Amino acid sequence: MLQSIYIRNYALIDELDISFTSGFSVITGETGAGKSIILGAIGLLLGQRADVKAIKNGASKCIVEARFHIANYGMEGFFADNDIEFDPEECILRREVSASGKSRAFINDTPASLAQMKLLGEKLIDIHSQHQNLLLNKEGFQLNILDILAQDEALLNRYQELYGRYKGVCRELEDFIAQAEKSRQDEDYIRFQLEQLEDADLKEGELTALEQEAEMLSHAEEIKAGLYRAGQLIDGEENGALSMVKECIQSLQGISRVYPQADEWRERLHSCYIELKDIGHDFSVAEEEVEFNPGRLDFVNERLNLIYNLQQKHRVESLEELIALTDKYREQLEAITSFDDRIAALNRQKEELYAQVLKEAAALTAVRSEAARYIEAQMQALLVPLGMPNVRFAVDMSARKEPDSKGMDSVTFLFSANKNGTLQNVASIASGGEIARVMLSLKAMIAGAVKLPTIIFDEIDTGVSGSIAEKMALIMEDMGRQNRQVISITHLPQIAARGIAHYKVYKEDTETGTLSHIRLLDKEERVKEIANMLSGTTLTEAALNNARVLLGLEK
């Protein structure tokens, strides 16, 4: 339940700190006194969008903080899932909005996202405002009420998980069919390109080798002459390097007996002699192998031109990219040939999931149908005492052509307040007062099915008065006894008199401007407030006596 709320620098509120009691409480005040401002501040704690215009003029930021007692409401899972400390005795929600537009949210002093605050807020408070009456015209709202009262959450979750898988397979199948159709349109093109690339029989590293070979064949005579000249310089008959090194070795050998260091040099030169002899032999072999071969040169150049043309055609920079493109075309053709098998497999999977979806939807329909009969009986029982002796209320369920995320059921609440009247959509024929009573009755049933700590009714009594208002108050009072806090913002004295606690919202003009306040009324203040609601601005003794009667202070 809501224990207290603290508001600072919000709209007409300078600073407000008020505590609330359990059970059924009421809030009254003149139109424009600031009741909607307080609800707007609470809305910030429920994750609603912050408007910097709501910050009190001249303030740098506004703060809204509420404290809740949440023991016995089974909320431990939320705090564990979001890694926030759980305190059943005092849960604190705080929202700060700066004039710059920056907004910060906290849960138990832990920074939180607005999504987290909204999720927790929905578990803590339900604010029923007049605009919610318009929701009765929405089929989704009516189906949601039916599901809440059917308590089919586990069944609905299982159905939605299965339905999600079914829709996923449908999307995959559609994408795959589109892909297959496009690929088949490109099949001739892909096959032609692949055949051309496969005929080229490209090899890794081939381009570099061919370019080197072409360079060599184009300069064969020059290479041959260079190798011959190099061989002669090493092993020529006159002044060849080998003969001179050999003479040098012999000279050193001759002095090594008397000059030992010469022996080391001789050994080193001998090694050089052997290396030079090997190099000379390699030159000779290479010279014999190098020859001008016009046929081979033509083949190499044709091969190079083929590769260059393929690179230009396919707009790639390397032979490796051409080989990768070949593999890609090959994989695309293989995929095209396997499309039929894959489409057939997806179709089978789709049909199997569709059958399971229909089966789960039927189970959901059965549970909802049972809940629909319960709702019809309960609404009859609740609405008759609220001044509708001839009321009829029915939950019409019809099957959709195809399942959607909520099942196969289309739900409409039908209503007639008149004897022998035709049942029609409740939102289209009920008056404002009738809709208020219908919504209160629905909320009363929902409250019994959902562990919701606090419900705030914002002028749900619109369009009713007298004994009907008192009976509506009795319903809210009964809701407040079920381990729940109910707060009603009202203009009717019959409802205001039933509250355990009575809060008044009022405005005060000061030198700096107009301020809104709220305070808990004591017994005598309550009598005067309700008397004012009965008689208007002129407070009469008759109104005071009537107020005391309503409050049970006089018989």
Side-chain angles (χ1 to χ4, degrees), residues 262-424:
D263 199 42
E264 177 187 348
W265 292 334
R266 180 186 62 78
E267 289 293 336
R268 291 167 63 188
L269 279 173
H270 183 69
S271 297
C272 292
Y273 179 83
I274 294 172
E275 182 67 19
L276 280 172
K277 193 170 183 177
D278 286 344
I279 293 173
H281 177 265
D282 291 343
F283 286 168
S284 178
V285 172
E287 182 195 352
E288 290 179 3
E289 291 177 347
V290 173
E291 61 176 333
F292 178 64
N293 187 340
R296 178 64 183 174
L297 180 58
D298 288 344
F299 170 80
V300 171
N301 283 331
E302 288 177 4
R303 184 72 176 163
L304 284 171
N305 286 334
L306 173 64
I307 295 174
Y308 292 151
N309 289 336
L310 287 172
Q311 285 181 334
Q312 186 177 16
K313 176 182 178 180
H314 294 287
R315 299 181 181 180
V316 297
E317 299 293 331
S318 67
L319 177 68
E320 288 67 31
E321 288 178 276
L322 278 176
I323 293 173
L325 186 61
T326 305
D327 294 336
K328 176 184 176 182
Y329 283 143
R330 191 177 292 116
E331 290 171 0
Q332 286 180 335
L333 279 180
E334 290 173 356
I336 290 172
T337 58
S338 66
F339 276 149
D340 289 341
D341 292 340
R342 179 59 178 155
I343 289 173
L346 285 172
N347 267 318
R348 287 194 299 271
Q349 188 177 1
K350 175 185 173 182
E351 290 171 1
E352 291 171 0
L353 284 171
Y354 186 71
Q356 294 178 48
V357 165
L358 292 182
K359 182 179 178 181
E360 290 296 325
L364 202 53
T365 298
V367 173
R368 286 169 173 168
S369 296
E370 185 176 344
R373 306 293 78 80
Y374 167 78
I375 292 173
E376 291 171 347
Q378 287 295 106
M379 288 297 287
Q380 186 85 10
L382 288 166
L383 290 172
V384 168
L386 292 178
M388 298 185 189
N390 299 311
V391 70
R392 284 188 299 150
F393 189 93
V395 180
D396 179 63
M397 291 178 59
S398 58
R400 297 179 179 277
K401 291 182 179 180
E402 289 294 330
D404 66 4
S405 62
K406 292 296 185 71
M408 286 289 292
D409 304 313
S410 178
V411 174
T412 305
F413 288 168
L414 303 178
F415 173 84
S416 173
N418 302 316
K419 189 174 183 179
N420 299 324
T422 303
L423 283 168
Q424 297 182 49

Side-chain angles (χ1 to χ4, degrees), residues 83-122:
D83 195 24
I84 298 174
E85 181 182 355
F86 175 67
D87 185 348
E89 300 300 322
E90 187 177 64
C91 172
I92 304 173
L93 271 65
R94 185 169 80 253
R95 183 93 178 268
E96 299 177 0
V97 181
S98 67
S100 64
K102 185 178 180 181
S103 171
R104 297 195 302 166
F106 302 87
I107 300 174
N108 289 344
D109 290 327
T110 299
S113 67
L114 286 186
Q116 290 173 317
M117 180 166 275
K118 184 175 186 296
L119 185 59
L120 179 58
E122 289 173 349

